[in-house]
Amino acid sequence: MYNAKDYSGLLLLASSLGDSGSMEQLAELAHSAGKENIAFTAYMMLNNIPKCLQLLVETERYPEAAIMAKTYMPSEVSKILKLWQADLSKTNEKAAEALADPLQYDNLFPELQLALKAEKLLEKERSTLQPASNYPVVAPNWERDVLAETEELLASLPEVVASPKEDEMLTAEVKEDQPVSEPETKEEDEDLFEEVPEVVPDVPEPLIA
């Protein structure tokens, strides 16, 4: 199949065997041969979202890349959106300006911050491939509510409270950083340098014999 460059057959074989090594090799071969559909499917089955986004950007499928990033890697949305705007402005500048960047219009994306936290929490899970034998017990993505899982996990984490010693140290640092106040008026300044009256000690008179 490799000699015949039967990428579709190799995709079927690798997915049937659950062979991640063969699937990764197929993805690279298909990518270099310009078979983006096969390469994208292989990378998606490997849960390699960055490679999937790279393929979509390379083929100038910016809308698909932006939607996929919003779903799987919201941290990449802003970067891909700029490419989409630049490409769209060539044909329709007003439509390009209507595309909202989540980092600039966070009010339009109320769950963005939670989605960014969910992305961080799922990084390890995404990089760990499950064996095919786990299929019956692993919940499919369409049955999961990742944002709700993230909220529940964050709520279970203990809050970090600064100790009294740390508070004292922070207060001391602030005091050290504060500038030394100077006299507000000239009169106060002169008062500081007023001459102190000379004090002459009382010396007892000598006794006469």
Side-chain angles (χ1 to χ4, degrees):
M1 285 185 176
Y2 283 105
N3 293 332
K5 298 181 180 180
D6 184 5
Y7 301 115
S8 299
L10 289 169
L11 178 64
L12 176 62
L13 182 62
S15 60
S16 300
L17 294 174
D19 188 348
S20 60
S22 298
M23 187 70 75
E24 189 170 356
Q25 184 180 3
L26 170 62
E28 296 294 336
L29 287 173
H31 187 193
S32 58
K35 303 295 183 180
E36 284 83 8
N37 288 341
I38 300 294
F40 181 89
T41 305
Y43 282 130
M44 191 67 183
M45 296 186 75
L46 291 168
N47 215 11
N48 194 336
I49 305 301
K51 279 288 188 181
C52 291
L53 292 176
Q54 179 185 341
L55 274 175
L56 292 173
V57 170
E58 288 178 357
T59 55
E60 298 183 354
R61 295 178 177 271
Y62 303 121
E64 293 90 336
I67 293 172
M68 185 175 188
K70 184 179 181 296
T71 305
Y72 295 98
M73 293 187 69
S75 60
E76 296 294 319
V77 172
S78 185
K79 181 174 67 176
I80 295 174
L81 188 67
K82 291 178 182 177
L83 299 174
W84 185 8
Q85 287 175 325
D87 183 66
L88 185 58
S89 62
K90 299 175 184 177
T91 55
N92 194 332
E93 190 171 351
K94 288 186 177 180
E97 293 175 355
L99 296 174
D101 189 343
L103 297 182
Q104 296 179 357
Y105 301 94
D106 54 350
N107 59 309
L108 300 177
F109 303 88
E111 295 182 338
L112 176 63
Q113 296 303 319
L114 183 60
L116 291 172
K117 293 177 182 178
E119 179 187 346
K120 288 290 184 184
L121 293 174
L122 292 176
E123 277 183 357
K124 184 177 181 180
E125 179 180 326
R126 188 172 62 240
S127 61
T128 304
L129 295 176
Q130 295 277 356
S133 58
N134 285 358
Y135 177 79
V137 296
V138 175
N141 288 335
W142 59 85
E143 292 182 1
R144 297 179 61 182
D145 188 343
V146 175
L147 296 184
E149 292 177 14
T150 304
E151 282 184 327
E152 185 178 351
L153 179 60
L154 293 175
S156 65
L157 296 176
E159 294 184 2
V160 179
V161 181
S163 63
K165 290 185 178 180
E166 292 175 348
D167 289 341
E168 292 174 3
M169 292 172 64
L170 292 173
T171 306
E173 291 177 0
V174 172
K175 289 182 178 179
E176 289 178 1
D177 293 338
Q178 290 178 351
V180 179
S181 58
E182 298 179 356
E184 295 182 0
T185 61
K186 186 178 180 182
E187 294 179 358
E188 293 180 1
D189 192 13
E190 292 176 352
D191 291 342
L192 293 176
F193 296 96
E194 265 189 354
E195 292 185 1
V196 179
E198 186 178 354
V199 178
V200 181
D202 294 332
V203 179
E205 295 181 359
L207 297 175
I208 299 174

